[in-house]
Every structure is written in C-alpha cells, then in structure tokens.
Amino acid sequence: MSTPFPAHVRVYRSRSGEAAVRSWCERELAACPGMRPLPRIVADGRGTRVHVLGGGGGVPVLVLPGAGLGAATLTGAARLLARDRTVILADLPGQPGLSSPLRPLGGRAAAYGAWLDALLPQVTDRPVVLLGHALGAAAVLSSPPSPLVDRLLLVNPAGLAAPARDPGRLRATCAWRLRPGEDTSARLIGAWGGPAGPGPLAEWMTLVGRHCRADTVPGLLRGEEFRDWRGTPVTVATGARDRVVSPALLRGAARRLLDTGVHEVADAGHLVLHEAPEQVRELLRRGGG
C-alpha cells in the first residue's frame, strides 16, 4: 500500500545547486570501475536511482546511505565489499543524490519503509542483506519483513535510540550551515566522531551545505513505525567514538527491540562505512554469506 508523504519540500535550494550535487555524484560513480546504473526506478511513487557493482558469490548486499550522504560517497566501501558479493547502492529519495528531490516533512520513517518495500523486488529476485547506515537503518526498521531479506546489518542506526545531546556537535552543525566550506565541513565530520580534515567527504559536505536545505538528525522510531523483524538475523554496529548514537545509547534498545547486542567498531565514529569498511566487510562475512 502506498504511503504518501503528508507534506514535502525540495531538498535543493536551487536548480543550479541540484545540478552541482548530481554532477558530483555522477562523476564519482562513473569513476568506480564496474559500477553500472540500473534504469530509473519508481518505488512507491518516488523516483529512485540505483547502481550495482558486481562482485563475489556471497549474498548480495543492498546499501542504504544515511541522511545527507548520497550513494556516491560510498564507492570506496562498495569496491571493498564487492570482493565478496554484489553491492547494490540506492539513493534515498529526498536526500542529496540522484533520486527524487522531494523530502518528506512528516511521517518520514513510514514513508521510507514503504519506499524500501516497493524497491526490493525491483532490484533483486533473491534474498539480499539489507545494510542501512543511520537514516538508511531507520528505513530498514520501518519496512515490513520480506522473503527477499536474508539478514540485516544496521550501522550507526537511527531510530533505535534518541540521538545524544552534544553541544560540540550542535556548534559544528550551526557553523557548517552558516558558512559551508572545507573547514566547517571537516569540523562537522569531526563532531560526529569521524576523521576531521580535508578529503572527498568534506568536499561532499560542503556541496550539501551550500546547495541543500538543512535536515534533522532522525529521532526515535515510534512504536507504530517499528516493524517486527524477529526471526530475521540482525547485527547492530556503531563506532566506539560515535557522538550521535554511541554504543552505550544503543545497547539497551538493541537488546530490547532486536534481541541482539551491539558490535563496537574501534577507532570509528558515526561514519563507520567510510572510516572502517574493512570491519563492515568482516561483519557481513560473519553472517554466513
């Protein structure tokens, strides 16, 4: 059943800004050897761009990025994961990237859950691992269980626990929104517990800060949004330095809601897929496929 957005806003402030962000994404994806785009998909009424990187014979993985982090920022992780399995990257609608620019203003988790449910049968005909980062994990938790899902890997997941209140992160976010640039982007990444400093991710966040409307950190999922994933193997992981959803914040919720513990990724913050892709690869391999 379709779950229409009660209200929406365009993620981009201008057409030229949208073009700049999309151009960056296209360039990064095109530079990844073997990466191929699927024809444009409409899932639950939302235009969606999906890219596939063929790989080893393990269970394929569908990767859903976090808020503000398009699939094009994950090509490095995709290349590593593809040593074991095919990697499917999907841009979430309403987030910077190549999918629909319309962002839900209300009922966001339910809308993303319905979108993912409609997307799955269009990108795979056999079970996959659902790997959700941050907002991508909240989309997974809000989608109905499916025979097309082999297991879940939730990395720095939103929705299980309310984000930590961190004055330093708030200051870094405000500075980035007011003056988006390489320095403020690097400080913001550092405030997430990530690798502060110049680089492609800081370049991306500068583009997002200049051309995209601000988004909020996803909060706690409501009971009616959280779907019953009991019976599906699930792994929860977060960075030891994550200043958004720390291991301490997640442990109780993961045990209570998903009957699992929390894998703590050493020397990583809120961007485990970017900072520690080798450890993500190992977590996928431990799942048995």
Side-chain angles (χ1 to χ4, degrees):
M1 178 182 295
S2 177
T3 306
F5 292 159
H8 62 254
V9 64
R10 286 184 62 86
V11 61
Y12 304 106
R13 294 194 179 103
S14 67
R15 296 289 181 181
S16 61
E18 179 176 359
V21 171
R22 290 182 180 273
S23 176
W24 193 96
C25 293
E26 296 282 10
R27 184 178 70 249
E28 291 295 309
L29 289 161
C32 182
M35 187 76 75
R36 61 181 179 88
L38 295 185
R40 182 177 179 272
I41 293 169
V42 177
D44 200 45
R46 301 158 181 84
T48 303
R49 287 293 303 277
V50 176
H51 286 74
V52 178
L53 182 60
V59 178
V61 60
L62 171 57
V63 182
L64 305 175
L69 297 164
T73 70
L74 293 173
T75 55
R79 286 195 298 270
L80 184 63
L81 300 183
R83 296 178 185 176
D84 303 320
R85 67 195 73 246
T86 291
V87 179
I88 307 166
L89 296 173
D91 273 308
L92 272 66
Q95 295 297 322
L98 298 174
S99 288
S100 167
L102 299 183
R103 172 184 293 165
L105 291 179
R108 178 162 61 161
Y112 280 129
W115 164 80
L116 177 55
D117 186 43
L119 178 71
L120 264 174
Q122 299 189 66
V123 299
T124 184
D125 58 3
R126 64 184 179 118
V128 298
V129 183
L130 287 183
L131 195 172
H133 171 248
L135 178 60
V140 171
L141 292 171
S142 302
S143 66
S146 165
L148 290 174
V149 177
D150 179 79
R151 60 190 188 274
L152 311 181
L153 174 53
L154 309 176
V155 180
N156 308 109
L160 285 178
R165 296 182 179 181
D166 186 321
R169 193 178 78 241
L170 178 61
R171 288 192 297 270
T173 301
C174 290
W176 169 73
R177 287 177 177 173
L178 289 170
R179 299 181 304 280
E182 292 289 323
D183 290 344
T184 55
S185 295
R187 286 200 295 273
L188 176 63
I189 293 167
W192 289 338
L201 193 56
E203 179 185 343
W204 166 257
M205 291 307 300
T206 298
L207 270 178
V208 170
R210 288 173 177 168
H211 301 303
C212 299
R213 291 185 169 88
D215 198 7
T216 56
V217 175
L220 188 66
L221 288 175
R222 298 178 304 220
E224 64 271 22
E225 295 170 331
F226 194 96
R227 307 304 287 265
D228 187 358
W229 281 99
R230 284 175 297 183
T232 301
V234 56
T235 300
V236 175
T238 197
R241 302 196 312 265
D242 191 335
R243 292 169 61 179
V244 183
V245 282
S246 67
L249 278 176
L250 288 174
R251 284 193 188 100
R255 181 61 64 192
R256 184 175 68 255
L257 298 171
L258 296 170
D259 193 27
T260 190
V262 175
H263 181 87
E264 190 169 329
V265 180
D267 300 321
H270 190 61
L271 301 170
V272 166
L273 270 169
H274 300 82
E275 301 168 79
E278 186 62 65
Q279 294 199 51
V280 174
R281 180 190 183 194
E282 182 58 31
L283 289 172
L284 284 170
R285 296 171 78 177
R286 288 184 196 175

